[in-house]
Amino acid sequence: MSTIERDPRLVEPESSLSGYVTAAGRRLSAGNLGSLPVIIGLVVTWIVFTILNERFLTAVNITNLMLQIAAIGTMAVGVTFVLLLGEIDLSVGSVSGVTAAVLAVSITRYGMGDLASVVAAVLTGVLIGLIHGVLFTKLRMPAFVVTLAGLLGWQGLQLYVLGQGGSINLPDGPVNALTEQFFVPAYGWAFAAVCVAGFAAVQFTRRYARTRADLPAGSVALLAVQVVGLAVVLGLVVIVLNADRGVPMVMLVYLVIIVACAFVLRRTAFGRHLFAVGGNIEAARRAGIRVDAVRIAAFTISSGLAAVGGILAASRLTAVTQSSGSGEVLLYAIAAAVIGGTSLFGGRGSVWAALLGMLVIGSIGNGLDLLSVSAPVKFMVTGLVLVIAVLLDSLSRRAEPRRSR
């Protein structure tokens, strides 16, 4: 018999499958749509393009889609940290380009090993993010201005580093293998099994800990449904990828980055402080949160992951050119996070949402390429999707005060 009396004013998490469904319906009726719009949009996109071109959902094209989204998707994960603050980072494309140039020059001109060159490129990105964060927090410069200046400045540095040739081909090695290496089918199944087992272990361990602390815990049936659902999704993904060349290494790298960042945001004090600062900076400051440190860390992570994205992009192209990191890279990185559900007003979003948004953008681009649609039309379609995503976010924000009355 419990000795702790719970406050009846508190909203407790649902402890059963039916309670979870009821709560989901309550949130939907209140206008809190979560990731539902982007999931519906992704399904509609896949259905439309499959009708228009039968090659869209083939194993070969799905594998190509995974290879296409990994680099910019990594940048989208990084920029999510800054968006959660309610700020913006306009430099991620240029940072990816200049760090890719550092990688190429380190390998080809200075004879550094691939691993050392990767470390040098990532540290360059981290240093750039640190500079952005300090200028923003200590000198009180608007993030828009700081990163806009970075967009221009780091692009200039990229051209300087590349030199007169303007293009450097990467030799065969571990960097190129990131996007050229595919795992045999058995390894793909092993990775899926590890993911499902790890997810189940974490969820049931949390439930056990909450039960021992006499706190509300989800039902076993609900956890079982979640584990089985994850197993089904990963199983389908592995089946499709194994039907072509297998699970690409770059996809594994991308997923590891997402899981690590999701853990940081949801399970660490830094993640909770980031949401607090993005939700209400004055309240966060009064609560004793080191606001400047959180902000500097967010910009550092954003630029660090932009560097990783630049490395993945260079690996896919097996070269670094003057156009690396330019064009639609910045637009797609920010759009992926926003379309996925990360609020431009801060305090709401997740890296998993960035993955969903990247899948939507990647699917639209891939499908339009299969239909041989011109680049202007692609930009207009992607822009329209972005406007719809921001409109949904704005409407949801306007509905919040009414829900809280």
Side-chain angles (χ1 to χ4, degrees):
M1 183 177 178
S2 173
T3 58
I4 300 177
E5 294 185 1
R6 298 189 179 94
D7 189 336
R9 296 169 297 178
L10 296 177
V11 178
E12 297 182 356
E14 295 70 29
S15 57
S16 66
L17 185 58
S18 60
Y20 183 83
V21 173
T22 302
R26 187 169 61 243
R27 286 195 293 269
L28 289 177
S29 63
N32 186 4
L33 304 179
S35 298
L36 184 61
V38 69
I39 293 174
I40 294 175
L42 182 62
V43 172
V44 170
T45 300
W46 284 10
I47 292 174
V48 170
F49 282 121
T50 302
I51 294 173
L52 296 176
N53 192 310
E54 62 183 11
R55 290 184 299 166
F56 181 75
L57 276 186
T58 59
V60 174
N61 195 51
I62 293 297
T63 302
N64 290 336
L65 177 62
M66 295 297 109
L67 295 175
Q68 291 168 358
I69 68 172
I72 301 180
T74 301
M75 300 176 206
V77 170
V79 85
T80 297
F81 283 76
V82 175
L83 292 178
L84 287 173
L85 291 175
E87 303 294 341
I88 196 163
D89 187 349
L90 297 176
S91 67
V92 289
S94 296
V95 172
S96 72
V98 71
T99 51
V102 170
L103 170 79
V105 169
S106 299
I107 294 176
T108 58
R109 293 184 189 170
Y110 299 104
M112 295 171 60
D114 282 41
L115 179 59
S117 300
V118 166
V119 172
V122 173
L123 289 179
T124 301
V126 169
L127 178 60
I128 290 173
L130 190 61
I131 293 172
H132 289 169
V134 170
L135 290 175
F136 170 57
T137 58
K138 301 302 181 183
L139 300 183
R140 306 301 179 190
M141 296 176 63
F144 176 85
V145 175
V146 171
T147 56
L148 181 61
L151 183 152
L152 299 173
W154 303 126
Q155 194 170 31
L157 181 60
Q158 175 185 348
L159 301 181
Y160 178 80
V161 171
L162 289 174
Q164 294 183 348
S167 176
I168 298 177
N169 294 325
L170 296 177
D172 291 336
V175 172
N176 283 348
L178 285 172
T179 52
E180 295 177 350
Q181 183 71 44
F182 294 84
F183 295 106
V184 298
Y187 282 10
W189 287 114
F191 293 143
V194 169
C195 290
V196 174
F199 177 77
V202 170
Q203 294 301 320
F204 281 98
T205 301
R206 286 183 56 204
R207 185 183 184 280
Y208 176 72
R210 292 183 67 86
T211 302
R212 289 199 61 183
D214 197 26
L215 293 173
S219 69
V220 175
L222 178 60
L223 294 181
V225 169
Q226 292 175 338
V227 172
V228 172
L230 178 64
V232 170
V233 171
L234 290 181
L236 291 175
V237 171
V238 172
I239 289 173
V240 172
L241 296 178
N242 281 347
D244 183 41
R245 286 157 283 180
V247 177
M249 178 184 289
V250 68
M251 180 181 169
L252 191 62
V253 172
Y254 184 32
L255 289 178
V256 168
I257 290 172
I258 291 176
V259 171
C261 290
F263 177 82
V264 169
L265 284 179
R266 295 295 178 184
R267 304 297 176 196
T268 66
F270 167 73
R272 290 188 286 272
H273 291 173
L274 188 71
F275 279 100
V277 173
N280 189 322
I281 185 171
E282 188 56 35
R285 185 176 283 112
R286 290 175 182 272
I289 295 175
R290 299 170 61 193
V291 173
D292 285 355
V294 171
R295 287 174 148 186
I296 291 174
F299 278 93
T300 302
I301 292 172
S302 177
S303 293
L305 289 179
V308 176
I311 294 169
L312 297 180
S315 171
R316 184 160 184 267
L317 297 175
T318 67
V320 180
T321 69
Q322 293 179 341
S323 61
S324 295
S326 62
E328 71 278 6
V329 172
L330 169 63
L331 166 68
Y332 284 2
I334 295 177
V338 176
I339 290 173
T342 299
S343 175
L344 285 171
F345 304 99
R348 187 172 62 190
S350 73
V351 294
W352 294 106
L355 171 62
L356 287 173
M358 196 62 236
L359 281 173
V360 171
I361 291 181
S363 299
I364 292 174
N366 183 284
L368 293 178
D369 285 340
L370 288 177
L371 298 175
S372 300
V373 174
S374 62
V377 176
K378 286 176 58 180
F379 287 144
M380 286 188 285
V381 172
T382 306
L384 177 62
V385 174
L386 178 59
V387 168
I388 294 173
V390 175
L391 178 62
L392 288 174
D393 179 42
S394 298
L395 293 176
S396 177
R397 286 273 175 179
R398 290 170 60 184
E400 281 183 353
R402 293 196 298 269
R403 290 198 297 268
S404 61
R405 290 172 186 170

